[in-house]
């Protein structure tokens, strides 16, 4: 998984359940032990922010796309984690204050997915937005989305609160303030330093809870809401499963608006931080959330910075223009070549020469084999020649020795006489 995806668990007090044990950053249920980057029990909003936001904010400033989203059962504290309360702000407000203190260019957007329809929370007239997959830039865009520039923390806060007020919320038997929609609040960051422009986006995703129809007596509208929420969360789970198993499989990002919007964050160019909110009173839902986080840990996101040198932009544009012209020339040449009347003859000629080259290569290999045989024979011949020379030298040496011995005997005999 590396540093691009991290998973956290935030336990809603009270954190007491004899069947679920928490030991540091490990959660043990029965014989199964699950490990996470951090498990928070009874922590404050500030403690949560200090623990998980430092690296993700640094990455955003450096030009990495980043996503923080809260996942979990209804009433477990997802919205409180992301949005907070009036006197106890959540991750969004704290991150906005941090970024405005660095004097960067900031723009904001806020969308909601309700009953599989995408709404612009910053413009009530802008409904049923269309999602586009820009494959050339490898990013997901929303057509006609309202993006507002913000020059201060106070201005950003007003924009965020405007979007919150328009979110569709309905009470349920499980949570009187349960959000009945998914929301994605995005901060677009532009950081200029040393003639390098770094552009990134930091998205905060607040997922709707999933009520089980069999446990609730719901009116028709709520049944439709819950069905669509379950569908989008099911699609999200399926994508997580496929990505964790084998990213080469077909991934159905378009199966729901939620997963289509999160395509960049899931298996794409983004650093992802997921907070699993759990309430230990609901063991089954807690296990589902923890299993979801464990699957996420197995995904490999490849995040890269979005930066460019300002001074190089004209040169790059010129190069792009030249390459485009060359491409057009090549296309024209190919078209002309294909339209020639003797095209088939050229192909036959080309095939003939290819076969001829193959024959030449075959001959070369045969000559190489013959050369090796000659080389081996030469080696044997050289050995025999050297052997004969050595034997000849030995014979000459023996003859010289005999001659010397005879001369020595003759001289000795003369002295005696």
């Amino acid at each position: 998984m590396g540093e691009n995806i991290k998973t956290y668990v935030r336990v809603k007090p009270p954190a007491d359940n004899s069947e679920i044990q928490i030991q540091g950053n490990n959660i043990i249920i029965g014989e199964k032990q699950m490990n996470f980057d951090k498990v928070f029990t009874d922590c404050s909003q500030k403690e949560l922010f200090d623990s998980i936001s430092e690296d993700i904010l640094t990455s955003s400033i450096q030009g990495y796309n980043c996503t923080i989203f809260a996942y979990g059962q209804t009433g477990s504290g997802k919205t409180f984690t992301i949005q907070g309360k009036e006197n106890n702000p959540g991750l969004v407000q704290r991150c906005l204050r941090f970024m405005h203190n660095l004097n960067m260019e900031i723009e904001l957007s806020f969308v909601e997915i309700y009953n599989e329809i995408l709404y612009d929370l910053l413009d009530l007239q802008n409904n049923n937005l269309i999602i586009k997959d820009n494959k050339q830039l490898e990013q997901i865009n929303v057509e006609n989305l309202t993006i507002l520039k913000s020059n201060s923390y106070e201005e950003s806060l007003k924009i965020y609160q405007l979007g919150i007020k328009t979110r569709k919320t309905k009470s349920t038997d499980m949570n009187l303030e349960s959000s009945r929609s998914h929301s994605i609040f995005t901060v677009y960051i532009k950081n200029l330093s040393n003639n390098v422009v770094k552009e990134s986006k930091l998205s905060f995703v607040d997922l709707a809870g999933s009520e089980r129809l069999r446990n609730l007596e719901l009116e028709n509208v709520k049944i439709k809401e819950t069905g669509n929420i379950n569908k989008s969360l099911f699609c999200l789970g399926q994508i997580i499963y496929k990505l964790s198993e084998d990213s080469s499989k077909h991934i159905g990002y378009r199966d729901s608006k939620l997963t289509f919007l999160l395509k960049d964050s899931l298996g794409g160019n983004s650093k992802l931080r997921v907070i699993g909110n759990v309430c230990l009173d609901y063991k089954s839902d807690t296990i589902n959330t923890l299993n979801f986080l464990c699957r996420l840990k197995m995904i490999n996101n490849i995040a890269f910075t979005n930066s460019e040198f300002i001074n190089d932009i004209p040169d790059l544009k010129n190069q792009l223009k030249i390459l485009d012209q060359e491409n057009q020339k090549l296309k024209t040449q190919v078209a002309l070549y294909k339209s020639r009347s003797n095209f088939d003859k050229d192909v036959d000629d080309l095939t003939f020469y290819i076969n001829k080259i193959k024959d030449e290569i075959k001959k070369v290999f045969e000559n190489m084999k013959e050369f090796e045989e000659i080389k081996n024979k030469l080696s044997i011949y050289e050995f025999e020649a050297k052997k004969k020379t050595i034997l000849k030298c030995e014979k000459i040496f023996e003859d010289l020795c005999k001659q010397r011995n005879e001369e020595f005997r003759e001289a000795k005999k003369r002295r005696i006489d």
Side-chain angles (χ1 to χ4, degrees):
M1 178 184 66
E3 294 297 311
N4 290 335
I5 297 180
K6 289 186 177 181
T7 56
Y8 306 93
V9 178
R10 189 178 194 184
V11 182
K12 183 177 182 179
D16 295 325
N17 189 318
S18 59
E19 297 180 89
I20 303 175
Q21 299 179 38
I22 300 174
Q23 296 180 0
N25 295 325
N26 299 307
I27 296 180
I28 303 169
I29 303 176
E31 297 181 355
K32 186 174 183 179
Q33 177 173 309
M34 293 168 274
N35 175 263
F36 305 96
D37 290 284
K38 183 74 175 176
V39 176
F40 300 95
T41 56
D42 197 20
C43 74
S44 68
Q45 296 283 69
K46 184 180 184 304
E47 288 171 339
L48 182 72
F49 171 77
D50 291 341
S51 296
I52 73 173
S53 297
E54 182 178 354
D55 72 318
I56 206 73
L57 288 172
T58 301
S59 295
S60 295
I61 295 165
Q62 291 173 345
Y64 290 97
N65 292 333
C66 301
T67 303
I68 300 175
F69 77 75
Y71 181 92
Q73 68 222 53
T74 295
S76 60
K78 298 185 301 296
T79 301
F80 177 68
T81 295
I82 298 294
Q83 178 181 319
K85 300 285 186 180
E86 184 176 353
N87 298 321
N88 194 8
L91 288 174
V92 170
Q93 296 93 325
R94 295 174 189 273
C95 288
L96 284 172
R97 184 181 291 279
F98 178 91
M99 287 183 286
H100 275 292
N101 287 337
L102 298 177
N103 297 319
M104 294 180 295
E105 292 185 29
I106 289 177
E107 294 180 326
L108 308 169
S109 70
F110 205 170
V111 297
E112 174 193 51
I113 303 170
Y114 177 71
N115 282 340
E116 281 300 292
I117 298 175
L118 189 62
Y119 294 89
D120 189 339
L121 293 177
L122 301 182
D123 183 357
L124 293 176
Q125 305 302 317
N126 202 9
N127 296 330
N128 205 6
L129 298 171
I130 298 174
I131 306 170
K132 292 289 186 179
D133 189 352
N134 190 329
K135 294 183 178 179
Q136 185 176 0
L137 297 178
E138 295 184 351
Q139 65 184 21
I140 299 298
N141 297 319
V142 179
E143 282 191 349
N144 302 318
L145 176 65
T146 301
I147 300 177
L148 301 179
K149 186 175 181 179
S150 174
N151 297 312
S152 67
Y153 168 70
E154 290 73 21
E155 192 173 348
S156 291
L157 200 58
K158 286 181 181 179
I159 293 171
Y160 181 55
Q161 289 171 344
L162 170 66
I164 290 173
K165 288 179 181 178
T166 59
R167 284 196 70 183
K168 295 176 173 62
T169 58
K170 287 184 176 291
S171 63
T172 71
D173 292 346
M174 296 182 71
N175 182 4
L176 293 176
E177 295 182 356
S178 174
S179 172
R180 308 303 303 135
S181 62
H182 310 296
S183 73
I184 301 176
F185 178 73
T186 303
V187 183
Y188 304 89
I189 305 163
K190 189 173 183 179
N191 183 21
L192 174 60
S193 177
N194 298 324
N195 289 329
V196 178
V197 176
K198 295 179 180 179
E199 295 182 320
S200 61
K201 60 181 181 180
L202 173 59
S203 299
F204 299 86
V205 183
D206 183 9
L207 297 175
S210 177
E211 286 76 35
R212 298 179 181 178
L213 291 175
R214 65 177 179 271
N215 292 338
L216 302 170
E217 294 180 1
L218 301 175
E219 58 195 70
N220 289 336
V221 174
K222 286 188 181 179
I223 289 174
K224 182 180 179 182
E225 286 178 352
T226 304
N228 282 321
I229 291 168
N230 284 338
K231 174 192 172 184
S232 59
L233 292 179
F234 173 77
C235 292
L236 178 61
Q238 287 293 101
I239 286 174
I240 298 299
Y241 176 79
K242 288 182 179 179
L243 287 172
S244 64
E245 289 291 316
D246 182 4
S247 60
S248 65
K249 294 180 180 178
H250 170 70
I251 309 298
Y253 289 107
R254 296 173 182 263
D255 291 347
S256 77
K257 295 289 178 66
L258 174 66
T259 53
F260 199 5
L261 269 180
L262 292 179
K263 182 180 178 182
D264 288 343
S265 304
L266 302 171
N269 172 31
S270 182
K271 293 194 174 187
L272 180 62
R273 301 293 180 264
V274 183
I275 304 164
N277 294 87
V278 298
C279 181
L280 301 189
D281 290 339
Y282 299 93
K283 180 183 175 183
S284 177
D285 290 325
T286 296
I287 292 174
N288 289 337
T289 298
L290 298 180
N291 286 335
F292 178 84
L293 295 181
C294 288
R295 280 286 179 185
L296 270 171
K297 288 165 68 72
M298 299 168 67
I299 297 176
N300 290 316
N301 270 18
I302 302 174
F304 51 85
T305 58
N306 306 291
S307 59
E308 62 181 3
F309 291 92
I310 294 177
N311 294 338
D312 289 345
I313 292 176
D315 293 336
L316 290 172
K317 286 183 177 179
N318 288 332
Q319 290 180 28
L320 186 63
K321 186 177 180 180
I322 292 170
L323 288 172
D324 185 59
Q325 291 173 349
E326 290 293 327
N327 187 39
Q328 292 301 323
K329 286 181 181 178
L330 288 171
K331 285 182 178 179
T332 303
Q333 290 174 3
V334 169
L336 288 172
Y337 187 72
K338 286 184 176 180
S339 65
R340 286 168 53 182
S341 58
N342 60 344
F343 177 72
D344 291 336
K345 182 179 180 300
D346 290 339
V347 172
D348 292 338
D349 291 343
L350 186 60
T351 304
F352 171 77
Y353 283 114
I354 289 173
N355 291 331
K356 189 174 181 181
I357 290 170
K358 285 182 178 179
D359 291 337
E360 293 295 328
I361 292 171
K362 186 178 179 181
K363 288 180 181 178
V364 169
F365 276 106
E366 289 175 353
N367 290 336
M368 286 178 65
K369 186 177 179 181
E370 185 178 349
F371 173 76
E372 287 294 329
E373 291 175 354
I374 293 171
K375 183 180 176 183
N376 292 334
K377 289 179 181 178
L378 283 173
S379 298
I380 294 171
Y381 173 79
E382 288 175 357
F383 174 76
E384 293 295 333
K386 287 179 180 179
K387 184 178 178 181
K388 288 179 180 179
T389 302
I390 292 170
L391 292 173
K392 187 176 181 180
C393 289
E394 287 179 347
K395 182 70 171 59
I396 293 171
F397 180 73
E398 288 177 359
D399 292 342
L400 286 173
C401 287
K402 286 181 181 180
Q403 184 179 348
R404 287 289 182 184
N405 287 334
E406 288 178 0
E407 289 176 354
F408 178 75
R409 282 195 296 270
E410 287 292 330
K412 185 177 180 181
K413 184 178 179 182
R414 282 195 296 268
R415 282 198 299 272
I416 293 172
D417 294 340

